[in-house]
């Protein structure tokens, strides 16, 4: 009986042990296979718990389906020419980072990002954007980083970006607009971006920064204007920079013209610490000051290098005016020559009229000079 009881106890212990082993196996099975159906990875993509990566797969649209707890979506290096409204049909509450760099995106339709309410970073660099709907984002966007580097079809489409930025981006802090060949910036481009801290405008062709462009960007801490076509900064722009507390300004790689007009900027550089790389700011013109550091220049060295040019321009203008007057004179003489017969006849008529008139005066003078003829004339009048 004791042996039978011990056998029963042994069987019960084995069953309990098998249950302990079976439970984690079931959990592991459900983890590997049961959740896969709810997190189906799109074709040609690699997936982890919160990331979907579909890089350089020649995709022409956003892959589907995307599971709802995704936080990062990488679609770099594909051939997505357009982002239509239904690109994100399911609401992705946790998606914060979206990378679309190196595609062929030309059009972004209205409402395309409405189902991405938590989007913090959007990388649209290295595309060819022609049309970007201003209402592509939801009414209140949480976007913090927007990368438009090398994304415009050409520099003339900067107005498209400006319209997008004038929408509701209350939390946008980093804006990248480098490598777009921009010549000028629209006046109100940054007016609504009150929390903007970093603006990257490197490697464009900016020729001027207008006064008031960054006047409302009081939170700005880093402004990168390196490798543009700036020749000088006007006093109004320098005053705007002085009003931004804690600003770090980068200006190297621009072709500064060191003439008398830039003297105020040189003085500003010598007294201000806003320009981080001012040691690297050098003159491009004139030749005698080339590669000279700006902040080391003295007023006597800054000559008005355009005075000789203005003189040559005036001389050229005088020569041109003389040529025009000579041409008018030649045309006048040609007209006279072609109408010489008519002019001669007209002169003869004037001469005859003048002669008749003078003869009348001469006749009256002869009458008035003889007293007898004068009395006769009076009696005949009576």
């Amino acid at each position: 009986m004791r042996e039978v009881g011990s056998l029963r106890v042994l069987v019960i212990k084995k069953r309990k042990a098998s249950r302990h082993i079976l439970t984690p196996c079931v959990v592991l099975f459900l983890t590997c296979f049961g959740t896969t159906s709810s997190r189906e990875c799109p074709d040609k993509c690699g997936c982890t718990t919160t990331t979907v990566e579909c890089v350089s797969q020649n995709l022409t649209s956003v892959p589907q389906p995307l599971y709802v707890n995704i936080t990062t979506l990488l679609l770099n290096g594909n051939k997505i020419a357009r982002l239509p409204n239904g690109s994100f049909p399911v609401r992705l509450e946790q998606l914060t980072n979206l990378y679309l760099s190196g595609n062929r995106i030309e059009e972004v339709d209205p409402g395309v990002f409405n189902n991405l309410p938590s989007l913090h970073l959007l990388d649209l660099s290295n595309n060819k954007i022609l049309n970007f709907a201003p209402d592509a984002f939801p009414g209140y966007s949480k976007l913090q980083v927007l990368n438009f580097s090398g994304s415009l079809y050409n520099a003339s489409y900067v107005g498209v970006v400006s319209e997008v930025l004038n929408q509701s981006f209350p939390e946008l802090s980093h804006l990248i607009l480098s490598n777009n060949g921009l010549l000028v910036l629209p006046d109100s481009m940054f007016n609504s971006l009150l929390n903007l801290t970093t603006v990257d405008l490197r490697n464009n062709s900016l020729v001027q920064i207008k006064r008031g462009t960054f006047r409302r960007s009081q939170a700005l801490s880093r402004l990168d204007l390196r490798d543009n076509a700036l020749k000088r900064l006007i006093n109004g722009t320098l005053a705007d920079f002085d009003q931004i507390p804690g600003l770090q300004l980068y200006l190297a790689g621009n072709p500064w013209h060191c003439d008398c007009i830039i003297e105020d900027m040189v003085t500003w550089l010598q007294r201000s610490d806003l320009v981080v790389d001012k040691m690297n700011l050098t003159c491009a013109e004139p030749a005698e000051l080339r590669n000279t550091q700006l902040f080391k220049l003295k007023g006597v060295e800054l000559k008005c290098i355009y005075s000789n040019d203005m003189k040559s321009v005036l001389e050229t203008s005088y020569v041109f005016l003389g040529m025009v007057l000579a041409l008018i004179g030649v045309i006048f003489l040609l007209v006279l020559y072609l109408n010489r017969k008519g002019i001669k006849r007209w002169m003869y008529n004037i001469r005859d009229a003048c002669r008749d008139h003078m003869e009348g005066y001469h006749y009256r003078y002869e009458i008035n000079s003889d007293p007898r003829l004068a009395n006769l004339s009076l009696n005949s009048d009576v």
Side-chain angles (χ1 to χ4, degrees), residues 33-49:
F33 299 98
T35 57
T36 303
S37 60
S38 62
R39 295 183 180 180
E40 183 179 355
C41 189
D43 188 27
K44 299 182 179 180
C45 298
C47 300
T48 62
T49 306

Side-chain angles (χ1 to χ4, degrees), residues 347-361:
M347 293 179 66
Y348 287 157
N349 292 336
I350 292 177
R351 185 192 64 182
D352 294 339
C354 291
R355 184 166 53 191
D356 294 341
H357 196 63
M358 292 302 295
E359 287 179 352
Y361 276 113

Side-chain angles (χ1 to χ4, degrees), residues 61-329:
S61 62
V62 178
Q64 302 296 335
L66 298 171
Y67 46 88
V68 294
N69 63 338
I70 181 178
T71 60
T72 303
L73 177 59
L74 295 96
L75 299 173
N76 298 337
N78 287 289
K79 298 179 180 179
I80 303 174
R82 181 186 175 195
L83 290 176
N85 195 337
S87 297
F88 302 95
V90 178
R91 191 170 179 84
L92 305 175
E93 294 281 353
Q94 300 182 38
L95 182 62
T96 56
N97 301 325
L98 177 58
Y99 296 88
L100 289 163
S101 176
N103 281 273
R104 299 179 180 179
I105 298 175
E106 296 181 355
E107 296 187 18
V108 180
D109 288 358
V112 65
F113 302 116
N114 282 351
N115 282 334
L116 309 179
S118 302
L119 192 62
H120 289 174
L121 182 150
L122 177 59
D123 185 358
L124 287 168
S125 60
N126 301 317
N127 286 289
K128 295 294 181 182
I129 295 176
L130 295 170
N131 185 23
F132 199 118
D135 54 349
F137 296 89
Y140 185 91
S141 175
K142 295 182 179 180
L143 199 66
Q144 297 178 1
V145 181
L146 182 56
N147 189 350
F148 272 119
S149 177
S151 62
L152 299 182
Y153 185 79
N154 59 46
S156 63
Y157 287 87
V158 64
V160 175
V161 176
S162 181
E163 289 183 9
V164 174
L165 296 178
N166 283 326
Q167 303 304 308
S168 179
F169 290 104
E171 298 184 17
L172 189 66
S173 60
H174 289 68
L175 178 62
I176 304 172
L177 290 167
S178 58
N179 304 303
N180 280 304
L182 302 179
L183 297 173
V184 293
L185 299 173
D187 294 338
S188 60
M189 189 169 184
F190 308 106
N191 283 356
S192 62
L193 305 176
L194 302 181
N195 290 317
L196 200 60
T197 60
T198 301
V199 178
D200 188 348
L201 289 163
R202 286 177 298 171
N203 198 27
N204 284 290
S205 300
L206 294 172
V207 296
Q208 182 185 13
I209 302 298
K210 297 180 181 179
R211 181 176 186 177
T213 302
F214 296 99
R215 181 175 299 170
R216 300 189 62 183
S217 304
Q218 293 300 303
L220 195 62
S221 60
R222 179 186 175 94
L223 177 58
D224 198 335
L225 293 168
R226 287 176 289 182
D227 301 317
N228 278 277
L230 297 172
K231 296 179 180 180
R232 64 184 63 86
L233 294 176
I234 62 174
N235 291 340
T237 301
L238 299 177
D240 288 344
F241 290 154
D242 283 334
Q243 298 300 316
I244 302 176
L247 176 64
Q248 291 183 336
L249 190 60
Y250 295 82
L251 295 172
N254 286 282
W256 305 106
H257 282 210
C258 298
D259 57 3
C260 59
I261 303 177
I262 205 175
E263 185 173 0
D264 290 340
M265 179 181 169
V266 171
T267 304
W268 179 79
L269 285 173
Q270 292 170 349
R271 66 172 176 78
S272 175
D273 294 327
L274 298 183
V275 182
V276 178
D277 57 351
K278 67 179 179 180
M279 299 289 292
N280 299 326
L281 271 61
T282 58
C283 301
E285 291 184 7
E288 58 268 21
L289 292 177
R290 188 169 298 160
N291 297 325
T292 304
Q293 291 179 311
L294 257 69
F295 80 100
K296 290 184 177 180
L297 290 172
K298 298 179 181 179
V300 293
E301 298 178 280
L302 300 173
K303 301 177 182 180
C304 295
I305 61 177
Y306 295 106
S307 58
N308 293 331
D309 292 342
M310 287 299 297
K311 183 178 180 181
S312 62
V313 169
L314 290 175
E315 290 176 353
T316 304
S317 300
Y318 292 146
V319 171
F320 180 74
L321 179 60
M323 293 174 63
V324 171
L325 293 176
L327 180 61
I328 293 174

Side-chain angles (χ1 to χ4, degrees), residues 332-348:
F332 179 72
L333 293 175
L334 181 62
V335 170
L336 290 179
Y337 176 76
L338 294 176
N339 294 277
R340 61 189 183 277
K341 293 182 180 179
I343 294 173
K344 185 182 293 185
R345 186 163 49 254
W346 176 71
M347 293 179 66
Y348 287 157

